[in-house]
Amino acid sequence: MPTLLLTVRETADELRLSERTVIRLIDTGELPSLLIGNRRRIERATLEAWLVRQREQQLAAVPSRTQTNGTRPDDLLAIRKYQRPMRRNIRYSKSQS
């Protein structure tokens, strides 16, 4: 049977984040938690709902396939690629004549 309440450390392990990051999410109110005594606990159901909300927000933030000016994001990446200065280490070998 899965645990209903997770510690900050267990939550950090589940999310593959540092404990400090989880504490910061709790302190800012972004990740809801319970205070039991002087210990913070995160309900598993709350954590799963938070993950779903995060995913929905990320999907909503992704621009549509076609931008408002008609340029596709792939085209923008191609343009940016050619605008960057080339930084290649080319080694020239001495030709043997």
Side-chain angles (χ1 to χ4, degrees), residues 35-97:
L35 187 61
I36 300 176
N38 62 353
R39 307 281 184 194
R40 285 283 171 192
R41 297 290 184 259
I42 297 93
E43 292 179 278
R44 184 173 293 279
T46 302
L47 178 62
E48 290 171 2
W50 180 80
L51 287 170
V52 168
R53 280 195 315 275
Q54 292 299 309
R55 180 69 176 153
E56 289 171 353
Q57 288 174 359
Q58 288 178 5
L59 290 175
V62 173
S64 64
R65 192 74 179 134
T66 304
Q67 301 291 328
T68 56
N69 62 4
T71 307
R72 291 184 12 216
D74 296 337
D75 298 336
L76 295 174
L77 291 175
I79 292 168
R80 181 184 286 173
K81 175 181 170 186
Y82 290 109
Q83 288 177 342
R84 291 183 184 161
M86 294 179 65
R87 295 180 186 165
R88 293 186 182 171
N89 293 330
I90 301 174
R91 291 185 177 198
Y92 296 99
S93 61
K94 294 181 183 178
S95 61
Q96 298 176 359
S97 318

